[in-house]
Amino acid sequence: GAGVSQTPSNKVTEKGKYVELRCDPISGHTALYWYRQSLGQGPEFLIYFQGTGAADDSGLPNDRFFAVRPEGSVSTLKIQRTERGDSAVYLCASSRERGGVDTQYFGPGTRLTVL
Amino acid sequence: SQQGEEDPQALSIQEGENATMNCSYKTSINNLQWYRQNSGRGLVHLILIRSNEREKHSGRLRVTLDTSKKSSSLLITASRAADTASYFCATRAYSGAGSYQLTFGKGTKLSVIP
């Protein structure tokens, strides 16, 4: 079946603008994660959804970042008043989530560039 | 914050040689996983080893885990040019609120020369 998809693949925006990044998880996966990867670094956790609810948002860097998953499937990561430091690849992953041993399947990521 | 540290940061070998990458981490874990990433984009899951396991094999991959030293190693045998990629270890620990987030290291960049 289809894997995790993310759109857009690339997004260039200007400092101060608002952006939305979309993630389509694998069908039937209840757990969804967002990560951010800066150049030369490993991915860093942002937020975790179990179904429709954000069960853990401890990785969000500040209140400019927000994510939703209204129907328990597609998720949107929203960044307000973007800053140059927000430039990174934003990765989404989904899993069936059974007791923490399920594999997380990653999407190809959205490369965000803030000018 | 990054939990793990991979060593070396970069590794260059000839095709057919074995490649060994190491990972150290800081806190107790539920399991440890290795991922591969090509061209800085999507990560591909390679292998998972649980905290009560010491060694695991999958094809040309061999992973070891030493929880007393909080370290793991990934061995790729008979490397191929197609193995060229960045390799990340990721630890999984229960972080509360039902979250099993992965905590990644900075990765090892492997180059396999044909």
Side-chain angles (χ1 to χ4, degrees):
Chain A
V4 178
S5 63
Q6 292 186 245
T7 54
S9 57
N10 286 284
K11 176 70 177 179
V12 180
T13 190
E14 293 179 343
K15 180 175 178 295
K17 299 289 188 184
Y18 168 83
V19 297
E20 289 189 351
L21 312 178
R22 176 187 167 111
C23 171
D24 280 84
I26 293 172
S27 178
H29 280 192
T30 59
L32 186 146
Y33 295 81
W34 283 97
Y35 295 84
R36 177 169 72 172
Q37 186 176 21
S38 301
L39 193 63
Q41 303 291 316
E44 290 189 305
F45 168 76
L46 295 176
I47 187 169
Y48 158 69
F49 286 89
Q50 180 57 252
T52 60
D56 182 357
D57 62 359
S58 62
L60 295 178
N62 52 59
D63 61 6
R64 294 185 299 106
F65 289 75
F66 188 71
V68 296
R69 196 186 184 200
E71 296 178 0
S73 179
V74 170
S75 176
T76 304
L77 178 66
K78 308 180 181 193
I79 310 174
Q80 298 177 319
R81 304 182 304 280
T82 52
E83 300 177 356
R84 293 193 180 88
D86 299 335
S87 296
V89 175
Y90 288 82
L91 296 163
C92 174
S94 71
S95 74
R96 288 175 298 176
E97 206 63 22
R98 293 174 305 171
V101 297
D102 275 346
T103 297
Q104 291 185 18
Y105 295 90
F106 282 79
T110 293
R111 186 180 298 280
L112 175 66
T113 302
V114 182
L115 301 177
Chain B
S1 60
Q2 312 274 185
Q3 150 94 298
E5 289 284 338
E6 283 92 342
D7 167 50
Q9 291 186 352
L11 179 62
S12 183
I13 60 174
Q14 294 291 126
E15 199 166 31
E17 294 181 337
N18 296 341
T20 299
M21 289 160 270
N22 303 296
C23 167
S24 60
Y25 58 92
K26 298 174 185 172
T27 62
S28 297
I29 62 172
N30 175 283
N31 61 62
L32 185 145
Q33 304 177 40
W34 286 89
Y35 282 81
R36 185 184 71 212
Q37 185 177 45
N38 291 86
S39 304
R41 298 305 287 264
L43 290 116
V44 175
H45 182 262
L46 295 176
I47 194 165
L48 178 154
I49 186 165
R50 293 182 173 79
S51 58
N52 61 353
E53 297 176 313
R54 291 298 166 257
E55 187 171 313
K56 204 159 183 181
H57 297 253
S58 177
R60 294 185 294 115
L61 305 179
R62 172 177 168 256
V63 169
T64 62
L65 179 64
D66 186 335
T67 53
S68 66
K69 295 181 179 177
K70 291 187 168 60
S71 66
S72 173
S73 67
L74 171 68
L75 169 68
I76 304 174
T77 60
S79 63
R80 305 166 182 168
D83 295 329
T84 295
S86 291
Y87 291 81
F88 294 89
C89 71
T91 54
R92 200 160 203 208
Y94 185 69
S95 59
S99 174
Y100 288 92
Q101 59 177 275
L102 290 171
T103 304
F104 288 83
K106 293 184 178 180
T108 292
K109 194 168 185 178
L110 173 66
S111 298
V112 181
I113 303 165

